Amino acid sequence: MGVGVSLHPLAKAVAREGGIGVVSSACIDRLVSRRSGKKKNTYEAAYEEVSLSKVKDGFSGINIMMALQRDYADSVKGALDAGVDVIISGAGLPLSLPAIQTPKDTALIPIVSSARALDIICKKWEKLRYRPDAVVLEGPLAGGHLGFRIDEIDLESNRLENLLPPVKEMARKFGDFPVIVAGGIYTHSDIARFMEMGADGVQMGTRFLATEESSATESYKQAVIGAKEEDIVVAHRPGSPCGLPFRVIKQSPMYVSSLQRRRPPKCDKGYVLMKDADGKYSICPAKEDNENYFCICNGLLSSSGYNSDKEEPLYTVGSNASRVDRILSVKTLMDELTNAGG
Ligand SMILES: Cc1cc2nc3c(=O)[nH]c(=O)nc-3n(C[C@H](O)[C@H](O)[C@H](O)COP(=O)(O)O)c2cc1C
Ligand code: SF4
């Protein structure tokens, strides 16, 4: 959940340099309401953030996680009405995405971690008379939630290099749409290597987290700079209430206190609630259980400076965060990534 990290300042800067700047829809109503001093619902906030991220001749995007069920449709509608160029959706299979509202010129891009997941999505979307405009293949080195079981993360067969050929094959089968790879890509030569292997583009998270334009707090950015390889762990029991492994810096204050069960369970944000038998959004394992789950909504909001006086931050990063040693501007980073030698 790129909560409050990937907002319009970062997305706009990336779009200005020729990339697709992607805002995160997670918790967007609270973040935009606080910034504007006016209460905005999810639809309005998604609309506003996408609108603010647009640049002339550039591309705007939004990431909307399936795990955010309660706000999913409103985020999609707000982004579409604002004319977003790209919706990227994962953390679950976005099976109904094309059915929410006619996407018109907006590209719909699911995120998968296997060819099988892509097969399931394409078959479902075919029934809705839609085909993915591209797919993001996210491997196990990524930041945020990982689309693998905890015991599958280190398998040789799940290395991004090994996942790419079958996913490329599946994309060909359903119309040869582009495959964008993500997870552990750090340098220009990493990009070139994956493009030579057949990828059509890359998605990057961690390096952009450590930019001047990212809205992560200064302490988050400093934690990324200070993180050593052994400090980056995949959190699982305690882990994310979304049920997926989640990569963190192990010194993150909320992770440390959750290992010691210091924070009493309390649900006051509700972004990852699932429906109960009556169709009400009331279920989140972190509501009652602080042994196996941390309160991800509060931890990530705090990492972007929201309520940081009341809740401890949780720092998510990709495995390559240990290589980050300084904060760059997006322009410097994009120049480095697009030039051989970077
Ligand atoms: C701080 C942070 C927040 C992220 N938030 C999201 C998110 O909200 N939704 C999502 O699909 N992926 C999210 N990701 C994953 C990235 O979109 C990206 O695929 C991944 O981090 C790529 O690996 P890299 O960090 O090694 O470049 C996040 C990653 C980071 C580092
Ligand atoms: S318990 Fe915490 S993580 Fe779960 S929905 Fe409520 S605020 Fe979010």
Side-chain angles (χ1 to χ4, degrees):
M1 287 162 56
V3 176
V5 168
S6 206
L7 294 174
H8 77 267
L10 177 58
K12 203 169 174 164
V14 172
R16 266 204 200 102
E17 299 307 318
I20 302 178
V22 182
V23 298
S24 162
S25 77
C27 314
I28 196 85
D29 56 338
R30 274 192 167 76
L31 295 161
V32 172
S33 298
R34 183 189 57 172
R35 185 181 66 211
S36 59
K38 212 172 135 204
K39 181 124 187 66
K40 304 270 164 92
N41 61 31
T42 297
Y43 171 91
E44 293 164 337
Y47 185 99
E48 178 169 325
E49 209 54 24
V50 166
S51 305
L52 289 173
S53 71
K54 285 175 172 254
V55 295
K56 195 170 170 288
D57 301 324
F59 293 103
S60 63
I62 187 165
N63 178 291
I64 310 179
M65 291 176 44
M66 278 302 292
L68 308 175
Q69 281 296 312
R70 193 191 62 181
D71 298 327
Y72 191 81
D74 287 341
S75 304
V76 170
K77 289 176 189 168
L80 286 175
D81 287 348
V84 74
D85 295 301
V86 175
I87 295 181
I88 304 176
S89 185
L93 301 183
L95 296 176
S96 62
L97 175 57
I100 291 173
Q101 182 173 307
T102 310
K104 295 192 189 143
D105 293 335
T106 300
L108 302 185
I109 305 185
I111 306 172
V112 300
S113 295
S114 68
R116 190 169 162 268
L118 182 58
D119 189 32
I120 296 169
I121 292 168
C122 289
K123 284 186 179 140
K124 178 71 203 284
W125 284 23
E126 259 181 354
K127 292 193 187 121
L128 302 168
R129 297 170 181 274
Y130 209 89
R131 190 201 81 178
D133 294 287
V135 63
V136 172
L137 166 63
E138 200 184 67
L141 301 181
H145 288 100
L146 307 175
F148 302 89
R149 285 204 326 254
I150 189 79
D151 55 339
E152 294 174 331
I153 289 173
D154 294 329
L155 292 181
E156 177 68 19
S157 55
N158 283 337
R159 284 165 54 98
L160 188 56
E161 292 81 348
N162 297 332
L163 294 170
L164 178 57
V167 167
K168 189 80 194 157
E169 192 50 45
M170 192 61 73
R172 255 188 227 117
K173 179 175 151 196
F174 285 95
D176 209 10
F177 48 82
V179 177
I180 298 159
V181 289
I185 291 156
Y186 199 83
T187 58
H188 173 85
S189 60
D190 292 338
I191 299 174
R193 188 163 58 89
F194 276 99
M195 301 294 267
E196 271 163 31
M197 286 168 52
D200 301 284
V202 300
Q203 171 175 282
M204 297 175 66
T206 302
R207 294 213 71 186
F208 288 87
L209 162 65
T211 55
E212 287 160 10
E213 291 87 345
S214 114
S215 302
T217 57
E218 200 45 42
S219 353
Y220 192 170
K221 293 181 191 178
Q222 289 309 319
V224 174
I225 291 176
K228 295 193 271 304
E229 210 176 318
E230 61 272 22
D231 298 332
I232 299 160
V233 298
V234 177
H236 174 72
R237 294 175 194 268
S240 166
C242 302
L244 296 166
F246 188 72
R247 188 166 273 119
V248 296
I249 298 178
K250 73 176 185 195
Q251 293 88 351
S252 306
M254 180 174 270
Y255 185 61
V256 172
S257 55
S258 98
L259 287 168
Q260 299 163 357
R261 301 178 66 183
R262 280 211 306 263
R263 183 188 184 278
K266 185 180 74 170
C267 180
D268 58 354
K269 303 293 186 298
Y271 291 102
V272 300
L273 288 172
M274 290 164 286
K275 276 187 182 166
D276 59 23
D278 300 326
K280 288 204 194 90
Y281 287 101
S282 70
I283 300 176
C284 171
K287 265 172 98 168
E288 281 102 32
D289 175 356
N290 66 354
E291 184 177 354
N292 294 301
Y293 305 100
F294 39 66
C295 180
I296 197 165
C297 302
N298 279 302
L300 295 182
L301 275 167
S302 174
S303 305
S304 68
Y306 187 97
N307 265 3
S308 329
D309 51 334
K310 296 192 186 71
E311 296 282 356
E312 292 178 321
L314 181 66
Y315 302 141
T316 183
V317 290
S319 11
N320 268 334
S322 55
R323 295 169 71 180
V324 176
D325 58 3
R326 69 214 137 104
I327 306 297
L328 302 174
S329 69
V330 166
K331 181 167 182 2
T332 310
L333 177 56
M334 288 292 276
D335 284 347
E336 186 189 311
L337 292 173
T338 49
N339 286 308

